[in-house]
Amino acid sequence: MKREEVLAAAQALITRDRAESYGDAQENFARIAAIWTAILDTYIRPEQVALMMAGLKIARLAHDSSSSDGWLDGVGYLALGAEMVVKE
């Protein structure tokens, strides 16, 4: 898969497929952050959820780097996290 294809596929996942299944990413990550905050007794921000989920994908890819799903999801999580914090 070429990098342009990876980016396009990741974009499709986070703007259509996942958005339809889970709703707005910022709201979904805020819900996840609230749950993780309660479990860990440490404040978790929505963009940290994106980092943790990307980290999960990286850990899985370290075991088996042939998973295109892992690469696409990792790119998608990082893009969503950047969107939450990078203001240009």
Side-chain angles (χ1 to χ4, degrees):
M1 207 176 211
K2 296 199 178 288
R3 67 188 83 167
E4 295 85 5
E5 295 170 320
V6 170
L7 294 171
Q11 180 180 16
L13 284 174
I14 63 176
T15 58
R16 290 193 302 264
D17 299 346
R18 302 299 193 269
E20 289 176 13
S21 297
Y22 305 117
D24 177 73
Q26 177 77 35
E27 292 173 9
N28 186 37
F29 284 20
R31 283 190 300 272
I32 294 167
I35 292 167
W36 288 359
T37 293
I39 292 169
L40 298 172
D41 196 26
T42 298
Y43 180 67
I44 305 293
R45 298 183 313 274
E47 67 271 16
Q48 289 175 307
V49 171
L51 289 170
M52 298 292 283
M53 296 304 290
L56 171 87
K57 294 299 179 171
I58 292 167
R60 289 180 176 174
L61 287 166
H63 173 72
D64 178 7
S65 63
S66 67
S67 167
S68 63
D69 181 62
W71 290 104
L72 296 177
D73 285 350
V75 169
Y77 284 125
L78 291 172
L80 290 169
E83 182 178 78
M84 292 177 198
V85 298
V86 176
K87 309 295 181 205
E88 292 186 43

